[in-house]
């Protein structure tokens, strides 16, 4: 058991530029020496550590304030190295890997014995993905090791989609942040359990169940309420510090002046529907991809403005592509 606490890790967090070769080398040096470095992925920024270094893995939990029983995703650089970490690699697993990797799908697989318990929280299953970001994959390759990486935010808080978001929450708690610009997708990967008879989505994400079902030609189940320790499965998660509410347009229109005092309304669609409301308003795209791309960034910005309330207009679409977004919004507002 690692008895060290955050006070033993006071860092002058370095911001590195992912476009500069020397800075990439610097990040690799930090990883090899057992430090945690925040790296860009296509989904959100991850807080990376060498997957073979138990002390480095423990530092992640301390830096994030995350309970140790929440396992970490193992990030690998290519499909070929999958067999080093997992066994029972079925044809379906390979089909998904070949179609979606590098990309925002994480598969829960039967782990090989060489995987440290600190990564899986003692489970015999390991979550693995190949991230679609050149900087991240380059750093895996040069570190000569797979990297574990949870989202680079404090436990239960908003996920980071820019280097600045990471700095806001983890400055002084980690060795370095590699700036690779904004994350292209903007919400966390889909997690699918491939160890069960029927492949089962544990965390909804950018890749929807129907699309995976088509790739493997089989039913894919979506588990909504389950006890598997996916921290993204906690009801309270991805939260701004400002009290945040999710309301349909007509519910917003029924709020009293008192209820919306010093509030900001994050709306999509037509602004005219809210023209009589005396609160600040800001727009987010009504397109699901654009909404995913922007939502964490906008919430980070609004959170910094110290409103009394953030009121998010609830998307009314039942389209499958909105499910992962609704999942994040419901957790962001859960009291
Ligand atoms: O897009 C993503 O998946 C990002 C980027 C950085 O790759 N990562 C991410 O990691 O969202 P994190 O730790 O914030 O969320 C991963 C989720 C956690 O809820 C964790 O509990 C679950 O995956 N998980 C990881 N390993 C698992 C395992 N062996 N069994 C069950 N759940 C697992
Ligand atoms: Mg997370």
């Amino acid at each position: 058991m690692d008895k060290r606490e955050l006070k033993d890790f006071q860092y002058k967090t370095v911001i590195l530029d992912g476009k500069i070769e020397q800075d990439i080398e610097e990040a690799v040096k930090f990883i090899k020496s057992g430090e945690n470095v925040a790296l860009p992925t296509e989904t959100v920024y991850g807080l990376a550590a060498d997957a073979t270094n138990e002390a480095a893995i423990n530092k992640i939990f301390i830096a994030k304030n995350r309970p140790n029983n929440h396992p970490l995703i193992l990030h690998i650089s290519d499909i070929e190295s999958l067999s080093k970490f997992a066994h029972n690699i079925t044809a379906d697993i390979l089909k998904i890997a070949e179609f979606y990797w590098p990309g925002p799908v994480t598969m829960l697989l039967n782990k090989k014995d060489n995987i440290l318990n600190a990564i899986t929280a003692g489970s015999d299953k390991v979550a693995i993905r190949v991230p679609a970001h050149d900087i991240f994959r380059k750093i895996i390759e040069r570190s000569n090791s797979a990297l574990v990486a949870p989202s680079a935010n404090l436990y239960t808080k908003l996920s980071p989609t820019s280097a600045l978001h990471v700095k806001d929450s983890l400055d002084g708690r980690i060795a370095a942040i590699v700036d690779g610009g904004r994350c292209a997708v903007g919400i966390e990967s889909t997690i699918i359990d491939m160890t069960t008879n029927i492949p089962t989505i544990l965390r909804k994400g950018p890749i929807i169940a129907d699309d995976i079902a088509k790739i493997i030609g089989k039913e894919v189940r979506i588990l909504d309420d389950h006890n598997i320790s996916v921290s993204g499965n906690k009801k309270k998660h991805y939260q701004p510090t400002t009290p945040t509410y999710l309301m349909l347009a007509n519910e917003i229109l029924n709020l009293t002046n008192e209820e919306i005092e010093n509030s900001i309304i994050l709306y999509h669609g037509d602004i005219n529907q809210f023209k009589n409301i005396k609160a600040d308003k800001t727009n987010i795209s009504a397109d699901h991809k654009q909404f995913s791309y922007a939502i964490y960034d906008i919430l980070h910005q609004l959170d910094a403005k110290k409103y009394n309330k953030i009121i998010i207009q609830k998307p009314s679409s039942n389209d499958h592509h909105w499910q992962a977004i609704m999942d994040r919004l419901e957790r962001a507002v859960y009291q």
Side-chain angles (χ1 to χ4, degrees):
M1 184 62 208
D2 194 321
K3 291 263 188 296
R4 285 173 296 181
E5 294 170 12
L6 182 64
K7 63 177 167 46
D8 302 316
F9 301 109
Q10 293 297 345
Y11 291 97
K12 172 129 190 30
T13 305
V14 183
I15 311 282
L16 299 167
D17 185 340
K19 292 193 290 297
I20 298 176
E21 194 56 27
Q22 222 175 331
D23 282 20
I24 299 275
E25 279 308 314
E26 196 67 20
V28 171
K29 266 191 216 151
F30 276 127
I31 295 280
K32 283 185 166 173
S33 64
E35 296 297 348
N36 296 165
V37 180
L39 302 179
T41 84
E42 79 283 29
T43 58
V44 300
Y45 274 70
L47 184 58
D50 177 350
T52 62
N53 183 334
E54 184 152 8
I57 296 167
N58 286 333
K59 279 183 189 175
I60 287 183
F61 291 93
I62 298 166
K64 278 182 61 89
N65 229 347
R66 168 160 158 151
N68 287 55
N69 62 352
H70 289 283
L72 304 174
I73 296 176
L74 188 72
H75 295 67
I76 60 176
S77 60
D78 49 61
I79 301 178
E80 289 65 43
S81 46
L82 187 55
S83 57
K84 283 195 234 160
F85 305 104
H87 53 75
N88 303 351
I89 298 171
T90 61
D92 287 346
I93 293 169
L94 284 177
K95 277 186 204 161
I96 294 172
E98 273 154 21
F99 196 84
Y100 286 112
W101 285 356
V105 174
T106 297
M107 286 193 269
L108 193 63
L109 305 171
N110 292 302
K111 83 172 185 85
K112 283 204 165 160
D113 288 342
N114 59 346
I115 294 188
L116 294 171
N117 275 333
I119 298 176
T120 61
S123 162
D124 53 5
K125 296 172 187 181
V126 62
I128 303 185
R129 84 178 187 105
V130 178
H133 202 297
D134 292 348
I135 293 173
F136 201 118
R137 288 204 312 281
K138 216 186 262 181
I139 293 175
I140 299 175
E141 280 160 14
R142 296 192 192 172
S143 305
N144 294 318
S145 171
L147 301 180
V148 287
S151 52
N153 53 285
L154 289 172
Y155 182 59
T156 76
K157 296 297 183 188
L158 287 172
S159 294
T161 54
S162 74
L164 190 65
H165 299 160
V166 180
K167 188 172 189 302
D168 282 348
S169 72
L170 297 179
D171 196 20
R173 304 172 77 96
I174 59 175
I177 302 166
V178 178
D179 189 344
R182 288 274 299 276
C183 300
V185 174
I187 60 169
E188 305 79 1
S189 63
T190 303
I191 303 181
I192 182 163
D193 187 347
M194 295 303 293
T195 68
T196 43
N197 277 342
I198 302 175
T200 305
I201 304 271
L202 302 181
R203 179 173 72 185
K204 292 173 197 154
I207 307 298
I208 62 172
D210 286 356
D211 288 344
I212 298 179
K214 272 185 215 134
I215 299 300
I216 58 178
K218 296 193 176 134
E219 177 195 0
V220 168
R221 195 175 4 197
I222 302 174
L223 217 53
D224 266 325
D225 282 302
H226 56 91
N227 297 318
I228 301 174
S229 71
V230 175
S231 66
N233 190 39
K234 278 172 55 80
K235 285 197 165 67
K236 189 174 172 176
H237 207 98
Y238 314 115
Q239 298 215 325
T241 306
T242 312
T244 302
Y245 302 86
L246 189 58
M247 295 179 166
L248 290 165
N250 65 319
E251 293 171 322
I252 297 174
L253 292 172
N254 283 332
L255 292 171
T256 63
N257 284 344
E258 204 180 320
E259 282 170 326
I260 54 166
E261 200 185 324
N262 193 30
S263 298
I264 177 91
I265 295 169
L266 178 59
Y267 72 94
H268 54 273
D270 183 10
I271 189 170
N272 282 323
Q273 57 188 328
F274 300 117
K275 65 177 184 294
N276 294 327
I277 294 227
K278 292 190 184 60
D280 287 352
K281 293 153 217 167
T282 193
N283 177 257
I284 183 164
S285 171
D287 168 76
H288 73 85
K289 278 200 177 152
Q290 289 301 321
F291 195 111
S292 297
Y293 173 73
I295 185 65
Y296 285 138
D297 185 54
I298 293 176
L299 290 177
H300 275 282
Q301 287 180 38
L302 298 184
D303 207 16
K305 291 188 176 160
K306 306 289 170 220
Y307 283 102
N308 288 350
K309 292 176 191 165
I310 299 172
I311 300 168
I312 307 172
Q313 181 190 353
K314 190 173 178 174
S316 52
S317 170
N318 289 325
D319 182 279
H320 284 187
H321 289 104
W322 282 92
Q323 287 184 1
I325 296 170
M326 279 307 297
D327 171 84
R328 302 306 186 279
L329 294 178
E330 276 163 6
R331 293 176 209 280
V333 303
Y334 189 83
Q335 298 297 315

